[in-house]
Amino acid sequence: MLPAIMYHHINSDDLPLSNTDGMMEAHLKLISERFTTVFPGDELTGKSICLTFDDGYYDFYHYVFPLLKKYHLKAVLAVPSAYIVEDTDLPSERRLSLKHHEIYQQENYLSFAPFCTYTELREMIQSKHVTVASHSMNHVNLSEAGVDLEEEILGSKAVLEKNLGYRVESFVLPYGKYNDAVIKLAKEHYPYVFRIGNAFNPSWDGIGGLLYRIKGDALQTPDELFKPLKQLGFWFKTIIKLVKVK
């Protein structure tokens, strides 16, 4: 079974969606000792684990990317392409200064550059420690009426591939929300589609065609997700999901 873990922020004021940099380092160090991190499509073993970080925030580049290199790990970074600028000379202090609810307000993505830039994304891809996934164009709930699915699902892929010179094969559903039309379009254009849900995956096909991710934010201890009772709960949910699909 393949566990995929979902993270968001580092050192954010939005505590339910964040970890401290110290907790993340201890957590990633533990993962490096127990598991082999994989990108979507890599060959799986009994020790494989897929790490995913949503939203493409600059705190990933600032805090997590150095740790991936230090501990020889891989991670998937899900990016909402409308908010990515080519480059910036703004200092890290400013880029990390926004509260979570301010990040998507007005044109803060330009004046604060709180997301990774294309220059940074290309650097991380070239390092082979990071692969980039689409997280839609505008980070919207794709199941809501009136959303332009072609733009959000296909347009985001085209923009990322043009700017990165890189084939984008994974799509991460914003907010974990979807309907049949969303999944149909996403599966037509991406081999790997990730959702939210505390369950394991039998393979890269996921469960019912979707890859489930375990919440890795707000960790209380570095090994919290790997304790026996937690693991038992994930196994139970996995079995329930598999039974429902059949």
Side-chain angles (χ1 to χ4, degrees), residues 1-5 7 27-28 30-32 34-40 42-52 73-76 200 204 214 225-226 231:
M1 288 288 179
L2 169 69
I5 315 297
Y7 313 91
H27 177 67
L28 292 180
L30 182 149
I31 286 175
S32 73
R34 297 188 185 181
F35 297 93
T36 301
T37 52
V38 290
F39 288 151
D42 284 354
E43 183 178 352
L44 299 178
T45 70
K47 292 186 176 181
S48 296
I49 191 169
C50 182
L51 309 180
T52 71
L73 300 172
K74 299 178 178 180
V76 178
F200 297 126
W204 285 120
I214 295 165
L225 302 181
F226 312 117
Q231 293 283 299

PDB file of all heavy atoms in Angstrom, residues 1-5 7 27-28 30-32 34-40 42-52 73-76 200 204 214 225-226 231:
ATOM      1  N   MET A   1       0.826  -1.199   0.000  1.00  0.00           N
ATOM      2  CA  MET A   1       0.000   0.000   0.000  1.00  0.00           C
ATOM      3  C   MET A   1       0.869   1.263   0.000  1.00  0.00           C
ATOM      4  O   MET A   1       1.899   1.309   0.676  1.00  0.00           O
ATOM      5  CB  MET A   1      -0.915   0.011   1.224  1.00  0.00           C
ATOM      6  CG  MET A   1      -2.052  -1.000   1.154  1.00  0.00           C
ATOM      7  SD  MET A   1      -3.302  -0.486  -0.069  1.00  0.00           S
ATOM      8  CE  MET A   1      -4.444  -1.873   0.063  1.00  0.00           C
ATOM      9  N   LEU A   2       0.431   2.249  -0.741  1.00  0.00           N
ATOM     10  CA  LEU A   2       1.168   3.507  -0.862  1.00  0.00           C
ATOM     11  C   LEU A   2       0.509   4.609  -0.038  1.00  0.00           C
ATOM     12  O   LEU A   2      -0.609   5.017  -0.312  1.00  0.00           O
ATOM     13  CB  LEU A   2       1.210   3.955  -2.328  1.00  0.00           C
ATOM     14  CG  LEU A   2       1.723   5.369  -2.588  1.00  0.00           C
ATOM     15  CD1 LEU A   2       3.221   5.454  -2.288  1.00  0.00           C
ATOM     16  CD2 LEU A   2       1.425   5.794  -4.018  1.00  0.00           C
ATOM     17  N   PRO A   3       1.194   5.118   0.985  1.00  0.00           N
ATOM     18  CA  PRO A   3       0.691   6.304   1.665  1.00  0.00           C
ATOM     19  C   PRO A   3       1.130   7.561   0.919  1.00  0.00           C
ATOM     20  O   PRO A   3       2.296   7.674   0.519  1.00  0.00           O
ATOM     21  CB  PRO A   3       1.343   6.221   3.052  1.00  0.00           C
ATOM     22  CG  PRO A   3       2.574   5.428   2.853  1.00  0.00           C
ATOM     23  CD  PRO A   3       2.366   4.543   1.656  1.00  0.00           C
ATOM     24  N   ALA A   4       0.200   8.475   0.722  1.00  0.00           N
ATOM     25  CA  ALA A   4       0.524   9.809   0.194  1.00  0.00           C
ATOM     26  C   ALA A   4       0.126  10.811   1.275  1.00  0.00           C
ATOM     27  O   ALA A   4      -0.976  10.731   1.825  1.00  0.00           O
ATOM     28  CB  ALA A   4      -0.237  10.079  -1.098  1.00  0.00           C
ATOM     29  N   ILE A   5       1.032  11.719   1.597  1.00  0.00           N
ATOM     30  CA  ILE A   5       0.811  12.672   2.671  1.00  0.00           C
ATOM     31  C   ILE A   5       0.581  14.060   2.080  1.00  0.00           C
ATOM     32  O   ILE A   5       1.239  14.436   1.107  1.00  0.00           O
ATOM     33  CB  ILE A   5       1.994  12.718   3.649  1.00  0.00           C
ATOM     34  CG1 ILE A   5       2.466  11.305   4.000  1.00  0.00           C
ATOM     35  CG2 ILE A   5       1.626  13.495   4.906  1.00  0.00           C
ATOM     36  CD1 ILE A   5       1.453  10.464   4.719  1.00  0.00           C
ATOM     37  N   TYR A   7       0.535  18.187   2.807  1.00  0.00           N
ATOM     38  CA  TYR A   7       0.951  19.301   3.655  1.00  0.00           C
ATOM     39  C   TYR A   7       0.603  20.627   2.968  1.00  0.00           C
ATOM     40  O   TYR A   7       0.374  20.669   1.763  1.00  0.00           O
ATOM     41  CB  TYR A   7       2.460  19.276   3.909  1.00  0.00           C
ATOM     42  CG  TYR A   7       3.048  17.946   4.299  1.00  0.00           C
ATOM     43  CD1 TYR A   7       3.532  17.067   3.339  1.00  0.00           C
ATOM     44  CD2 TYR A   7       3.165  17.566   5.638  1.00  0.00           C
ATOM     45  CE1 TYR A   7       4.103  15.847   3.687  1.00  0.00           C
ATOM     46  CE2 TYR A   7       3.731  16.350   6.000  1.00  0.00           C
ATOM     47  CZ  TYR A   7       4.200  15.496   5.007  1.00  0.00           C
ATOM     48  OH  TYR A   7       4.758  14.290   5.354  1.00  0.00           O
ATOM     49  N   HIS A  27      10.153  15.553  11.218  1.00  0.00           N
ATOM     50  CA  HIS A  27       9.247  14.653  10.490  1.00  0.00           C
ATOM     51  C   HIS A  27       9.922  14.117   9.221  1.00  0.00           C
ATOM     52  O   HIS A  27       9.893  12.906   8.947  1.00  0.00           O
ATOM     53  CB  HIS A  27       7.970  15.420  10.160  1.00  0.00           C
ATOM     54  CG  HIS A  27       6.960  14.679   9.370  1.00  0.00           C
ATOM     55  ND1 HIS A  27       6.275  13.584   9.869  1.00  0.00           N
ATOM     56  CD2 HIS A  27       6.480  14.880   8.115  1.00  0.00           C
ATOM     57  CE1 HIS A  27       5.419  13.152   8.950  1.00  0.00           C
ATOM     58  NE2 HIS A  27       5.535  13.909   7.881  1.00  0.00           N
ATOM     59  N   LEU A  28      10.529  14.999   8.457  1.00  0.00           N
ATOM     60  CA  LEU A  28      11.178  14.573   7.218  1.00  0.00           C
ATOM     61  C   LEU A  28      12.411  13.717   7.495  1.00  0.00           C
ATOM     62  O   LEU A  28      12.700  12.775   6.745  1.00  0.00           O
ATOM     63  CB  LEU A  28      11.549  15.784   6.373  1.00  0.00           C
ATOM     64  CG  LEU A  28      10.365  16.571   5.776  1.00  0.00           C
ATOM     65  CD1 LEU A  28      10.866  17.751   4.958  1.00  0.00           C
ATOM     66  CD2 LEU A  28       9.471  15.673   4.922  1.00  0.00           C
ATOM     67  N   LEU A  30      12.705  11.645   9.975  1.00  0.00           N
ATOM     68  CA  LEU A  30      12.146  10.331  10.298  1.00  0.00           C
ATOM     69  C   LEU A  30      11.732   9.608   9.018  1.00  0.00           C
ATOM     70  O   LEU A  30      11.993   8.407   8.853  1.00  0.00           O
ATOM     71  CB  LEU A  30      10.963  10.498  11.246  1.00  0.00           C
ATOM     72  CG  LEU A  30      10.257   9.227  11.739  1.00  0.00           C
ATOM     73  CD1 LEU A  30       9.706   9.450  13.137  1.00  0.00           C
ATOM     74  CD2 LEU A  30       9.117   8.829  10.803  1.00  0.00           C
ATOM     75  N   ILE A  31      11.082  10.315   8.110  1.00  0.00           N
ATOM     76  CA  ILE A  31      10.672   9.707   6.839  1.00  0.00           C
ATOM     77  C   ILE A  31      11.885   9.204   6.074  1.00  0.00           C
ATOM     78  O   ILE A  31      11.864   8.109   5.493  1.00  0.00           O
ATOM     79  CB  ILE A  31       9.854  10.716   6.005  1.00  0.00           C
ATOM     80  CG1 ILE A  31       8.449  10.869   6.603  1.00  0.00           C
ATOM     81  CG2 ILE A  31       9.768  10.286   4.539  1.00  0.00           C
ATOM     82  CD1 ILE A  31       7.595  11.926   5.951  1.00  0.00           C
ATOM     83  N   SER A  32      12.961   9.970   6.076  1.00  0.00           N
ATOM     84  CA  SER A  32      14.177   9.548   5.358  1.00  0.00           C
ATOM     85  C   SER A  32      14.763   8.267   5.937  1.00  0.00           C
ATOM     86  O   SER A  32      15.421   7.496   5.228  1.00  0.00           O
ATOM     87  CB  SER A  32      15.222  10.665   5.396  1.00  0.00           C
ATOM     88  OG  SER A  32      15.811  10.793   6.680  1.00  0.00           O
ATOM     89  N   ARG A  34      12.884   5.833   7.424  1.00  0.00           N
ATOM     90  CA  ARG A  34      11.947   4.706   7.364  1.00  0.00           C
ATOM     91  C   ARG A  34      11.395   4.398   5.978  1.00  0.00           C
ATOM     92  O   ARG A  34      10.910   3.291   5.736  1.00  0.00           O
ATOM     93  CB  ARG A  34      10.752   4.972   8.295  1.00  0.00           C
ATOM     94  CG  ARG A  34      11.102   5.095   9.762  1.00  0.00           C
ATOM     95  CD  ARG A  34       9.831   5.158  10.590  1.00  0.00           C
ATOM     96  NE  ARG A  34      10.096   5.394  12.002  1.00  0.00           N
ATOM     97  CZ  ARG A  34       9.145   5.474  12.930  1.00  0.00           C
ATOM     98  NH1 ARG A  34       7.861   5.333  12.588  1.00  0.00           N
ATOM     99  NH2 ARG A  34       9.463   5.705  14.192  1.00  0.00           N
ATOM    100  N   PHE A  35      11.434   5.378   5.074  1.00  0.00           N
ATOM    101  CA  PHE A  35      10.734   5.233   3.799  1.00  0.00           C
ATOM    102  C   PHE A  35      11.628   5.638   2.630  1.00  0.00           C
ATOM    103  O   PHE A  35      12.682   6.230   2.796  1.00  0.00           O
ATOM    104  CB  PHE A  35       9.481   6.121   3.780  1.00  0.00           C
ATOM    105  CG  PHE A  35       8.439   5.771   4.803  1.00  0.00           C
ATOM    106  CD1 PHE A  35       8.432   6.407   6.046  1.00  0.00           C
ATOM    107  CD2 PHE A  35       7.476   4.818   4.540  1.00  0.00           C
ATOM    108  CE1 PHE A  35       7.474   6.098   7.003  1.00  0.00           C
ATOM    109  CE2 PHE A  35       6.511   4.497   5.481  1.00  0.00           C
ATOM    110  CZ  PHE A  35       6.511   5.139   6.715  1.00  0.00           C
ATOM    111  N   THR A  36      11.124   5.338   1.427  1.00  0.00           N
ATOM    112  CA  THR A  36      11.693   5.842   0.181  1.00  0.00           C
ATOM    113  C   THR A  36      10.645   6.721  -0.482  1.00  0.00           C
ATOM    114  O   THR A  36       9.544   6.254  -0.802  1.00  0.00           O
ATOM    115  CB  THR A  36      12.064   4.688  -0.769  1.00  0.00           C
ATOM    116  OG1 THR A  36      13.014   3.840  -0.124  1.00  0.00           O
ATOM    117  CG2 THR A  36      12.643   5.227  -2.059  1.00  0.00           C
ATOM    118  N   THR A  37      10.955   8.004  -0.651  1.00  0.00           N
ATOM    119  CA  THR A  37       9.987   8.903  -1.264  1.00  0.00           C
ATOM    120  C   THR A  37       9.944   8.688  -2.778  1.00  0.00           C
ATOM    121  O   THR A  37      10.977   8.406  -3.411  1.00  0.00           O
ATOM    122  CB  THR A  37      10.317  10.364  -0.962  1.00  0.00           C
ATOM    123  OG1 THR A  37      11.687  10.626  -1.300  1.00  0.00           O
ATOM    124  CG2 THR A  37      10.078  10.678   0.506  1.00  0.00           C
ATOM    125  N   VAL A  38       8.754   8.821  -3.357  1.00  0.00           N
ATOM    126  CA  VAL A  38       8.569   8.559  -4.789  1.00  0.00           C
ATOM    127  C   VAL A  38       7.752   9.672  -5.433  1.00  0.00           C
ATOM    128  O   VAL A  38       6.919  10.327  -4.786  1.00  0.00           O
ATOM    129  CB  VAL A  38       7.861   7.202  -5.019  1.00  0.00           C
ATOM    130  CG1 VAL A  38       8.774   6.048  -4.666  1.00  0.00           C
ATOM    131  CG2 VAL A  38       6.548   7.115  -4.237  1.00  0.00           C
ATOM    132  N   PHE A  39       8.000   9.867  -6.723  1.00  0.00           N
ATOM    133  CA  PHE A  39       7.165  10.715  -7.564  1.00  0.00           C
ATOM    134  C   PHE A  39       6.060   9.848  -8.178  1.00  0.00           C
ATOM    135  O   PHE A  39       6.237   8.621  -8.311  1.00  0.00           O
ATOM    136  CB  PHE A  39       7.979  11.320  -8.704  1.00  0.00           C
ATOM    137  CG  PHE A  39       8.947  12.391  -8.293  1.00  0.00           C
ATOM    138  CD1 PHE A  39      10.108  12.587  -9.026  1.00  0.00           C
ATOM    139  CD2 PHE A  39       8.698  13.219  -7.214  1.00  0.00           C
ATOM    140  CE1 PHE A  39      11.008  13.586  -8.682  1.00  0.00           C
ATOM    141  CE2 PHE A  39       9.593  14.226  -6.851  1.00  0.00           C
ATOM    142  CZ  PHE A  39      10.746  14.407  -7.593  1.00  0.00           C
ATOM    143  N   PRO A  40       4.947  10.444  -8.580  1.00  0.00           N
ATOM    144  CA  PRO A  40       3.905   9.674  -9.260  1.00  0.00           C
ATOM    145  C   PRO A  40       4.468   8.897 -10.455  1.00  0.00           C
ATOM    146  O   PRO A  40       5.182   9.452 -11.286  1.00  0.00           O
ATOM    147  CB  PRO A  40       2.915  10.748  -9.703  1.00  0.00           C
ATOM    148  CG  PRO A  40       3.060  11.817  -8.664  1.00  0.00           C
ATOM    149  CD  PRO A  40       4.528  11.837  -8.346  1.00  0.00           C
ATOM    150  N   ASP A  42       6.631   6.390 -10.215  1.00  0.00           N
ATOM    151  CA  ASP A  42       7.834   5.646  -9.844  1.00  0.00           C
ATOM    152  C   ASP A  42       7.469   4.229  -9.407  1.00  0.00           C
ATOM    153  O   ASP A  42       6.363   3.975  -8.923  1.00  0.00           O
ATOM    154  CB  ASP A  42       8.557   6.333  -8.679  1.00  0.00           C
ATOM    155  CG  ASP A  42       9.331   7.574  -9.102  1.00  0.00           C
ATOM    156  OD1 ASP A  42       9.408   7.845 -10.313  1.00  0.00           O
ATOM    157  OD2 ASP A  42       9.853   8.267  -8.206  1.00  0.00           O
ATOM    158  N   GLU A  43       8.421   3.325  -9.549  1.00  0.00           N
ATOM    159  CA  GLU A  43       8.212   1.952  -9.080  1.00  0.00           C
ATOM    160  C   GLU A  43       8.013   1.950  -7.565  1.00  0.00           C
ATOM    161  O   GLU A  43       8.715   2.647  -6.828  1.00  0.00           O
ATOM    162  CB  GLU A  43       9.415   1.085  -9.446  1.00  0.00           C
ATOM    163  CG  GLU A  43       9.260  -0.375  -9.067  1.00  0.00           C
ATOM    164  CD  GLU A  43      10.443  -1.219  -9.492  1.00  0.00           C
ATOM    165  OE1 GLU A  43      11.317  -0.699 -10.208  1.00  0.00           O
ATOM    166  OE2 GLU A  43      10.483  -2.406  -9.091  1.00  0.00           O
ATOM    167  N   LEU A  44       7.057   1.150  -7.110  1.00  0.00           N
ATOM    168  CA  LEU A  44       6.724   1.111  -5.695  1.00  0.00           C
ATOM    169  C   LEU A  44       7.325  -0.103  -5.003  1.00  0.00           C
ATOM    170  O   LEU A  44       7.429  -1.173  -5.586  1.00  0.00           O
ATOM    171  CB  LEU A  44       5.198   1.088  -5.514  1.00  0.00           C
ATOM    172  CG  LEU A  44       4.433   2.300  -6.061  1.00  0.00           C
ATOM    173  CD1 LEU A  44       2.935   2.118  -5.857  1.00  0.00           C
ATOM    174  CD2 LEU A  44       4.905   3.591  -5.405  1.00  0.00           C
ATOM    175  N   THR A  45       7.710   0.099  -3.733  1.00  0.00           N
ATOM    176  CA  THR A  45       8.153  -0.989  -2.881  1.00  0.00           C
ATOM    177  C   THR A  45       7.348  -0.916  -1.587  1.00  0.00           C
ATOM    178  O   THR A  45       6.511  -0.030  -1.416  1.00  0.00           O
ATOM    179  CB  THR A  45       9.653  -0.860  -2.553  1.00  0.00           C
ATOM    180  OG1 THR A  45       9.842   0.268  -1.676  1.00  0.00           O
ATOM    181  CG2 THR A  45      10.483  -0.660  -3.811  1.00  0.00           C
ATOM    182  N   GLY A  46       7.633  -1.799  -0.670  1.00  0.00           N
ATOM    183  CA  GLY A  46       6.915  -1.791   0.601  1.00  0.00           C
ATOM    184  C   GLY A  46       7.243  -0.600   1.475  1.00  0.00           C
ATOM    185  O   GLY A  46       6.556  -0.347   2.476  1.00  0.00           O
ATOM    186  N   LYS A  47       8.271   0.177   1.091  1.00  0.00           N
ATOM    187  CA  LYS A  47       8.666   1.342   1.883  1.00  0.00           C
ATOM    188  C   LYS A  47       8.408   2.659   1.157  1.00  0.00           C
ATOM    189  O   LYS A  47       8.872   3.715   1.590  1.00  0.00           O
ATOM    190  CB  LYS A  47      10.151   1.245   2.251  1.00  0.00           C
ATOM    191  CG  LYS A  47      10.470   0.114   3.224  1.00  0.00           C
ATOM    192  CD  LYS A  47      11.920   0.161   3.674  1.00  0.00           C
ATOM    193  CE  LYS A  47      12.211  -0.902   4.718  1.00  0.00           C
ATOM    194  NZ  LYS A  47      13.618  -0.842   5.188  1.00  0.00           N
ATOM    195  N   SER A  48       7.643   2.620   0.073  1.00  0.00           N
ATOM    196  CA  SER A  48       7.390   3.835  -0.702  1.00  0.00           C
ATOM    197  C   SER A  48       6.421   4.772   0.011  1.00  0.00           C
ATOM    198  O   SER A  48       5.470   4.325   0.670  1.00  0.00           O
ATOM    199  CB  SER A  48       6.815   3.478  -2.072  1.00  0.00           C
ATOM    200  OG  SER A  48       7.741   2.752  -2.840  1.00  0.00           O
ATOM    201  N   ILE A  49       6.643   6.073  -0.145  1.00  0.00           N
ATOM    202  CA  ILE A  49       5.739   7.090   0.370  1.00  0.00           C
ATOM    203  C   ILE A  49       5.792   8.289  -0.576  1.00  0.00           C
ATOM    204  O   ILE A  49       6.857   8.609  -1.125  1.00  0.00           O
ATOM    205  CB  ILE A  49       6.118   7.504   1.811  1.00  0.00           C
ATOM    206  CG1 ILE A  49       5.026   8.365   2.446  1.00  0.00           C
ATOM    207  CG2 ILE A  49       7.453   8.228   1.849  1.00  0.00           C
ATOM    208  CD1 ILE A  49       5.221   8.582   3.946  1.00  0.00           C
ATOM    209  N   CYS A  50       4.650   8.925  -0.796  1.00  0.00           N
ATOM    210  CA  CYS A  50       4.573  10.092  -1.681  1.00  0.00           C
ATOM    211  C   CYS A  50       4.230  11.318  -0.843  1.00  0.00           C
ATOM    212  O   CYS A  50       3.189  11.357  -0.180  1.00  0.00           O
ATOM    213  CB  CYS A  50       3.524   9.868  -2.768  1.00  0.00           C
ATOM    214  SG  CYS A  50       3.399  11.237  -3.951  1.00  0.00           S
ATOM    215  N   LEU A  51       5.100  12.323  -0.872  1.00  0.00           N
ATOM    216  CA  LEU A  51       4.894  13.555  -0.124  1.00  0.00           C
ATOM    217  C   LEU A  51       4.343  14.627  -1.064  1.00  0.00           C
ATOM    218  O   LEU A  51       4.921  14.879  -2.128  1.00  0.00           O
ATOM    219  CB  LEU A  51       6.206  14.045   0.487  1.00  0.00           C
ATOM    220  CG  LEU A  51       7.016  13.023   1.298  1.00  0.00           C
ATOM    221  CD1 LEU A  51       8.276  13.676   1.838  1.00  0.00           C
ATOM    222  CD2 LEU A  51       6.176  12.447   2.426  1.00  0.00           C
ATOM    223  N   THR A  52       3.239  15.271  -0.684  1.00  0.00           N
ATOM    224  CA  THR A  52       2.647  16.306  -1.522  1.00  0.00           C
ATOM    225  C   THR A  52       2.436  17.578  -0.705  1.00  0.00           C
ATOM    226  O   THR A  52       1.991  17.530   0.436  1.00  0.00           O
ATOM    227  CB  THR A  52       1.297  15.862  -2.116  1.00  0.00           C
ATOM    228  OG1 THR A  52       0.303  15.800  -1.088  1.00  0.00           O
ATOM    229  CG2 THR A  52       1.400  14.500  -2.796  1.00  0.00           C
ATOM    230  N   LEU A  73      15.239  13.550  -0.237  1.00  0.00           N
ATOM    231  CA  LEU A  73      13.829  13.211  -0.390  1.00  0.00           C
ATOM    232  C   LEU A  73      13.240  13.843  -1.648  1.00  0.00           C
ATOM    233  O   LEU A  73      13.792  14.795  -2.206  1.00  0.00           O
ATOM    234  CB  LEU A  73      13.039  13.697   0.833  1.00  0.00           C
ATOM    235  CG  LEU A  73      13.464  13.122   2.189  1.00  0.00           C
ATOM    236  CD1 LEU A  73      12.731  13.833   3.314  1.00  0.00           C
ATOM    237  CD2 LEU A  73      13.202  11.627   2.237  1.00  0.00           C
ATOM    238  N   LYS A  74      12.085  13.313  -2.050  1.00  0.00           N
ATOM    239  CA  LYS A  74      11.324  13.848  -3.179  1.00  0.00           C
ATOM    240  C   LYS A  74       9.959  14.328  -2.689  1.00  0.00           C
ATOM    241  O   LYS A  74       9.415  13.780  -1.722  1.00  0.00           O
ATOM    242  CB  LYS A  74      11.083  12.765  -4.236  1.00  0.00           C
ATOM    243  CG  LYS A  74      12.315  12.162  -4.873  1.00  0.00           C
ATOM    244  CD  LYS A  74      11.882  11.079  -5.851  1.00  0.00           C
ATOM    245  CE  LYS A  74      13.040  10.439  -6.574  1.00  0.00           C
ATOM    246  NZ  LYS A  74      12.556   9.395  -7.527  1.00  0.00           N
ATOM    247  N   ALA A  75       9.393  15.325  -3.396  1.00  0.00           N
ATOM    248  CA  ALA A  75       8.050  15.798  -3.058  1.00  0.00           C
ATOM    249  C   ALA A  75       7.351  16.343  -4.289  1.00  0.00           C
ATOM    250  O   ALA A  75       7.992  16.833  -5.227  1.00  0.00           O
ATOM    251  CB  ALA A  75       8.104  16.871  -1.969  1.00  0.00           C
ATOM    252  N   VAL A  76       6.025  16.254  -4.256  1.00  0.00           N
ATOM    253  CA  VAL A  76       5.161  16.836  -5.286  1.00  0.00           C
ATOM    254  C   VAL A  76       4.697  18.199  -4.786  1.00  0.00           C
ATOM    255  O   VAL A  76       4.192  18.313  -3.667  1.00  0.00           O
ATOM    256  CB  VAL A  76       3.933  15.936  -5.548  1.00  0.00           C
ATOM    257  CG1 VAL A  76       3.017  16.573  -6.594  1.00  0.00           C
ATOM    258  CG2 VAL A  76       4.369  14.540  -5.969  1.00  0.00           C
ATOM    259  N   PHE A 200      -4.921   4.691   2.404  1.00  0.00           N
ATOM    260  CA  PHE A 200      -3.777   4.283   1.601  1.00  0.00           C
ATOM    261  C   PHE A 200      -4.223   4.008   0.162  1.00  0.00           C
ATOM    262  O   PHE A 200      -5.416   3.873  -0.121  1.00  0.00           O
ATOM    263  CB  PHE A 200      -3.141   3.024   2.179  1.00  0.00           C
ATOM    264  CG  PHE A 200      -2.582   3.179   3.562  1.00  0.00           C
ATOM    265  CD1 PHE A 200      -2.950   2.323   4.589  1.00  0.00           C
ATOM    266  CD2 PHE A 200      -1.676   4.180   3.847  1.00  0.00           C
ATOM    267  CE1 PHE A 200      -2.427   2.450   5.866  1.00  0.00           C
ATOM    268  CE2 PHE A 200      -1.138   4.327   5.114  1.00  0.00           C
ATOM    269  CZ  PHE A 200      -1.516   3.457   6.129  1.00  0.00           C
ATOM    270  N   TRP A 204      -0.593   3.177  -7.994  1.00  0.00           N
ATOM    271  CA  TRP A 204      -0.735   4.521  -8.558  1.00  0.00           C
ATOM    272  C   TRP A 204      -2.097   4.741  -9.193  1.00  0.00           C
ATOM    273  O   TRP A 204      -2.432   5.867  -9.575  1.00  0.00           O
ATOM    274  CB  TRP A 204       0.380   4.793  -9.567  1.00  0.00           C
ATOM    275  CG  TRP A 204       1.714   5.066  -8.954  1.00  0.00           C
ATOM    276  CD1 TRP A 204       2.866   4.359  -9.127  1.00  0.00           C
ATOM    277  CD2 TRP A 204       2.054   6.144  -8.064  1.00  0.00           C
ATOM    278  NE1 TRP A 204       3.898   4.915  -8.409  1.00  0.00           N
ATOM    279  CE2 TRP A 204       3.428   6.020  -7.747  1.00  0.00           C
ATOM    280  CE3 TRP A 204       1.318   7.196  -7.508  1.00  0.00           C
ATOM    281  CZ2 TRP A 204       4.084   6.900  -6.895  1.00  0.00           C
ATOM    282  CZ3 TRP A 204       1.976   8.082  -6.657  1.00  0.00           C
ATOM    283  CH2 TRP A 204       3.334   7.933  -6.361  1.00  0.00           C
ATOM    284  N   ILE A 214      -3.243  11.528   3.052  1.00  0.00           N
ATOM    285  CA  ILE A 214      -3.395  11.632   4.505  1.00  0.00           C
ATOM    286  C   ILE A 214      -2.935  13.020   4.954  1.00  0.00           C
ATOM    287  O   ILE A 214      -1.894  13.512   4.519  1.00  0.00           O
ATOM    288  CB  ILE A 214      -2.546  10.538   5.188  1.00  0.00           C
ATOM    289  CG1 ILE A 214      -3.095   9.154   4.835  1.00  0.00           C
ATOM    290  CG2 ILE A 214      -2.492  10.743   6.694  1.00  0.00           C
ATOM    291  CD1 ILE A 214      -2.149   8.022   5.156  1.00  0.00           C
ATOM    292  N   LEU A 225       1.834  10.310  12.354  1.00  0.00           N
ATOM    293  CA  LEU A 225       1.113   9.598  11.299  1.00  0.00           C
ATOM    294  C   LEU A 225       1.459   8.117  11.234  1.00  0.00           C
ATOM    295  O   LEU A 225       0.734   7.338  10.601  1.00  0.00           O
ATOM    296  CB  LEU A 225       1.396  10.236   9.938  1.00  0.00           C
ATOM    297  CG  LEU A 225       1.039  11.708   9.782  1.00  0.00           C
ATOM    298  CD1 LEU A 225       1.371  12.179   8.371  1.00  0.00           C
ATOM    299  CD2 LEU A 225      -0.434  11.945  10.092  1.00  0.00           C
ATOM    300  N   PHE A 226       2.553   7.731  11.879  1.00  0.00           N
ATOM    301  CA  PHE A 226       3.051   6.369  11.745  1.00  0.00           C
ATOM    302  C   PHE A 226       2.863   5.532  13.003  1.00  0.00           C
ATOM    303  O   PHE A 226       3.338   4.399  13.069  1.00  0.00           O
ATOM    304  CB  PHE A 226       4.527   6.421  11.347  1.00  0.00           C
ATOM    305  CG  PHE A 226       4.791   7.360  10.208  1.00  0.00           C
ATOM    306  CD1 PHE A 226       5.596   8.476  10.374  1.00  0.00           C
ATOM    307  CD2 PHE A 226       4.189   7.164   8.970  1.00  0.00           C
ATOM    308  CE1 PHE A 226       5.815   9.361   9.337  1.00  0.00           C
ATOM    309  CE2 PHE A 226       4.401   8.040   7.917  1.00  0.00           C
ATOM    310  CZ  PHE A 226       5.216   9.145   8.104  1.00  0.00           C
ATOM    311  N   GLN A 231      -2.183   4.222  12.042  1.00  0.00           N
ATOM    312  CA  GLN A 231      -2.067   3.340  10.884  1.00  0.00           C
ATOM    313  C   GLN A 231      -3.273   2.411  10.767  1.00  0.00           C
ATOM    314  O   GLN A 231      -3.782   2.169   9.672  1.00  0.00           O
ATOM    315  CB  GLN A 231      -0.774   2.524  10.984  1.00  0.00           C
ATOM    316  CG  GLN A 231       0.493   3.354  10.849  1.00  0.00           C
ATOM    317  CD  GLN A 231       0.791   3.728   9.419  1.00  0.00           C
ATOM    318  OE1 GLN A 231       0.985   2.869   8.564  1.00  0.00           O
ATOM    319  NE2 GLN A 231       0.825   5.023   9.137  1.00  0.00           N
TER     320      GLN A 231
END
